[in-house]
Amino acid sequence: MQRHAEGDSEGVDPDVGGNMVTTLLNETMPHIAIPSDATVEEMAALVGREVGGAVEQLVGAFTLAFIALAQIHDSGQEDVSSSDVLQDLALRAEELSAGDEGPEEPPR
């Protein structure tokens, strides 16, 4: 997608971006079992509750990544790459999802 946006899309399938988004959504969205006797209202509530949480988490992750990248950019730190920032965020997310509360605060 990046090469396509930068005009260097030689040999890049223009549909690859859509496929990446579809893959991401398939991996992050919950699988929902809807009872066959569910009313339209019950189905809407179930889908809204299940999908809403996943969308909220996904938007939160992209927002956090954008803010972290913007802060590094605005600080003028040339020795930190965007890959470094995103890798740090991914590692911190893994720690949090494993139940770790992250690094302890330094003593005061």
Side-chain angles (χ1 to χ4, degrees), residues 5-73:
E6 293 172 349
D8 184 20
S9 59
E10 185 176 321
V12 176
D13 182 359
D15 292 331
V16 76
N19 293 337
M20 288 173 34
V21 172
T22 300
T23 301
L24 174 67
L25 291 175
N26 285 335
E27 290 177 2
T28 57
M29 291 297 127
H31 296 277
I32 304 168
I34 300 173
S36 60
D37 63 342
T39 66
V40 173
E41 292 81 13
E42 291 169 336
M43 185 173 53
L46 177 64
V47 171
R49 182 177 62 247
E50 296 296 322
V51 173
V55 168
E56 190 174 309
Q57 186 176 14
L58 194 58
V59 169
F62 280 110
T63 301
L64 178 61
F66 177 82
I67 291 169
L69 290 167
Q71 287 173 338
I72 292 297
H73 176 269

Side-chain angles (χ1 to χ4, degrees), residues 57 61 64 85-103:
Q57 186 176 14
L64 178 61
V85 174
L86 296 174
Q87 184 178 31
D88 180 60
L89 287 173
L91 292 172
R92 291 185 359 212
E94 276 187 33
E95 289 173 359
L96 290 174
S97 68
D100 187 3
E101 296 300 319

